[in-house]
Amino acid sequence: MASSAQWRKLYDELYKLYGDCTCPLKHASPFQLLVAVMLSAQCRDDRVNEVTKELFAVAPDPASMAELPVERIAEIIRTCGLYRNKSENLSACAKKLVDEFGGGVPHTMEELTTLPGIGRKSANVVLGDAFKIPGFPVDTHVNRLLNRIGLVDCDDPVKIEAEQNAKVPPELWSNFSHILIQHGRRVCDARKPACDRCTIRPICKRRGVKDK
């Protein structure tokens, strides 16, 4: 099991590369971030931003989203993966926000994960980026990198989140996830990691990486 010092070393090295990051999903409110995060499953961020530009023009808040027919939501978000399921979740989520939360977005993990289409990863994104409440979203990049680097040996996002939370100061959680994602996209590719130009190679166990 990796020590707190090892976790902090990784954070510091990645911070040198990427600094303070912000969520790439464009939004003007916690609700809009919630929607964008739901749409981002199996869909590129740039595609989500294109789709939400049209979606938020007609449904920028829970009340207007709740009144929008599911078929219309599906039509707008069609270019996102799993659009039928996502349109159902968006409609149900908006209605629940209106009916049970007064049209606002809740501020706790427990409440957020009661919303249709929202799991721990999505809830942590909303907590960290919309409300500045510490959260560590574990997406596929974060899961893969932490296992490859060798700080964890587990594929369970909940266990990885708990391990990180126990070893890293809360004020770093959200940004740590962001910079891991950046490194996964820019350097540590799933199939062809650029180890020859990776500055964290000295502290990386390179699990599962085969040398050429």
Side-chain angles (χ1 to χ4, degrees), residues 69-193:
V70 174
E71 295 77 16
R72 177 59 178 145
I73 298 175
E75 180 184 345
I76 295 172
I77 70 170
R78 189 179 183 89
T79 57
C80 287
L82 309 174
Y83 73 94
R84 289 190 178 88
N85 186 55
K86 289 177 181 178
S87 62
E88 295 282 353
N89 282 335
L90 286 173
S91 179
C93 180
K95 290 173 180 176
K96 183 164 185 170
L97 290 175
V98 171
D99 294 341
E100 299 183 23
F101 296 99
V105 176
H107 294 56
T108 69
M109 173 64 71
E110 292 72 23
E111 291 174 315
L112 282 167
T113 51
T114 67
L115 299 174
I118 298 297
R120 288 192 66 87
K121 186 208 78 172
S122 298
N124 272 319
V125 174
V126 174
L127 289 173
D129 288 283
F131 300 121
K132 306 307 178 187
I133 296 172
F136 184 68
V138 180
D139 74 348
T140 54
H141 288 293
V142 173
N143 191 328
R144 175 171 55 80
L145 261 69
L146 290 178
N147 274 280
R148 177 174 283 173
I149 292 166
L151 290 192
V152 301
D153 187 12
C154 169
D155 287 325
D156 184 337
V158 175
K159 292 181 179 179
I160 293 173
E161 178 190 345
E163 175 69 9
Q164 190 273 169
N165 290 357
K167 300 295 178 63
V168 178
E171 62 270 19
L172 304 182
W173 293 355
S174 293
N175 197 54
F176 200 178
S177 178
H178 281 313
I179 58 182
L180 281 164
I181 291 169
Q182 288 297 317
H183 197 65
R185 288 174 173 169
R186 299 184 187 186
V187 179
C188 196
D189 181 78
R191 296 183 179 181
K192 296 182 179 180

